[in-house]
Amino acid sequence: MSTEEIIIKNNEREENGSNFPKLGCVILCLLLAFMTGIVIQIIVSGARHLQELTPYSESTPLEIPEESGTETELNEIRAKIESFKQALNSDSPMPAELPLSVKDVNILISNDNYLSDLRKEYFFQKIKPDGTIIALCSRKMRKFLPWQERKYWNGEMTLNLEVLNGAVFLRVINFKSSNGSPMPENLLEKWRSQDQLEMYKNDELFANSLKKINSVRFADNLIILSTKKISMQEK
């Protein structure tokens, strides 16, 4: 091969090889444009969603009361719970029960680290014999964008505890905003479809304990959890 042919072939290789950086730049630009589009869509969606929620939220949290109870009261509640846990793990055929009053629940929220997420956000006011649970709430809203102002769901929340043979769910039934704005039905439906105990069910020990709770009874300001199984007719 002559010197002239070698030079020509080297030039051809350089020309062909130069296409690869150009192609890489095009792909990179396309990826950047795609990612930019996604970011813009997230920002627009977050801003639109916040605008929809603003009339039903507030910029400052409610002053949620706390009921710390006395050391004796706290120890008695913990002893009840410990006795119930032992019964759950025993082979006894006798049903075990755990009665918890509204005051018991609020004392646990104020003192138990396991329930610290509820502190300053929920205060249980009433339990009705039909199973309706009323709580004062000041719940932080998720920030859709980092620079957005923190908003709060402030008001009265109505919940319902459903228990049937190891299936335990706590669902929101209604919410009355403290600013007087009625909550839209589509937002309420989202809450109604969510189990408020879901984050605790990620704890395997807690989830396994729930599976052994088969029924619940209600009285004035009292919940009674039980291992007694019931049929759908009895429910």
Side-chain angles (χ1 to χ4, degrees):
M1 184 181 292
S2 67
T3 303
E4 185 177 344
E5 289 175 331
I6 292 172
I7 292 172
I8 291 171
K9 286 189 176 291
N10 285 338
N11 289 337
E12 288 177 349
R13 290 194 193 101
E14 288 174 3
E15 288 175 0
N16 291 335
S18 66
N19 290 331
F20 289 102
K22 290 178 181 177
L23 181 61
C25 287
V26 170
I27 293 173
L28 181 60
C29 289
L30 288 173
L31 285 173
L32 287 173
F34 177 70
M35 295 303 295
T36 302
I38 291 176
V39 170
I40 291 173
Q41 180 62 33
I42 290 172
I43 291 172
V44 171
S45 298
R48 187 184 299 121
H49 192 64
L50 181 66
Q51 189 175 14
E52 291 175 356
L53 299 178
T54 296
Y56 321 107
S57 61
E58 296 178 68
S59 300
T60 56
L62 275 181
E63 192 70 34
I64 300 295
E66 286 192 55
E67 188 156 16
S68 300
T70 65
E71 186 175 351
T72 300
E73 287 173 323
L74 179 60
N75 289 336
E76 287 176 352
I77 297 166
R78 286 175 170 167
K80 277 196 302 187
I81 294 172
E82 185 59 35
S83 176
F84 184 64
K85 285 167 60 177
Q86 290 176 5
L88 290 180
N89 296 321
S90 73
D91 297 325
S92 173
M94 297 297 294
E97 292 189 342
L98 173 63
L100 289 172
S101 68
V102 168
K103 185 176 182 178
D104 291 341
V105 174
N106 287 326
I107 289 174
L108 284 171
I109 290 173
S110 294
N111 292 278
D112 200 313
N113 290 334
Y114 195 78
L115 300 175
S116 60
D117 289 341
L118 305 180
R119 205 168 296 153
K120 297 185 183 301
E121 291 195 6
Y122 289 90
F123 181 81
F124 288 84
Q125 296 175 307
K126 188 183 297 184
I127 299 170
K128 298 180 180 180
D130 64 359
T132 302
I133 302 169
I134 309 294
L136 185 66
C137 105
S138 184
R139 183 170 169 173
K140 290 178 185 175
M141 289 173 57
R142 182 163 60 91
K143 292 177 70 172
F144 296 94
L145 299 171
W147 57 85
Q148 284 178 343
E149 180 186 20
R150 171 71 72 186
K151 294 286 187 176
Y152 298 84
W153 298 114
N154 291 336
E156 184 183 271
M157 184 176 284
T158 304
L159 304 111
N160 181 250
L161 182 66
E162 305 168 13
V163 182
L164 182 62
N165 300 335
V168 182
F169 302 96
L170 182 64
R171 302 191 191 280
V172 175
I173 302 302
N174 200 8
F175 181 81
K176 295 179 182 177
S177 176
S178 61
N179 65 15
S181 301
M183 185 69 70
E185 192 62 26
N186 64 319
L187 291 179
L188 280 175
E189 282 302 321
K190 286 182 181 179
W191 271 3
R192 288 168 184 157
S193 66
Q194 297 169 356
D195 179 12
Q196 301 301 307
L197 297 176
E198 191 63 40
M199 64 177 177
Y200 297 105
K201 289 180 179 178
N202 293 326
D203 180 342
E204 188 176 351
L205 185 61
F206 181 82
N208 289 337
S209 296
L210 285 184
K211 291 174 184 177
K212 298 172 185 177
I213 298 173
N214 295 311
S215 58
V216 62
R217 303 195 315 276
F218 300 93
D220 283 328
N221 293 324
L222 187 69
I223 295 175
I224 304 167
L225 301 173
S226 175
T227 58
K228 180 183 179 182
K229 289 189 175 183
I230 61 172
S231 64
M232 287 296 295
Q233 290 76 14
E234 289 177 298
K235 186 175 186 297

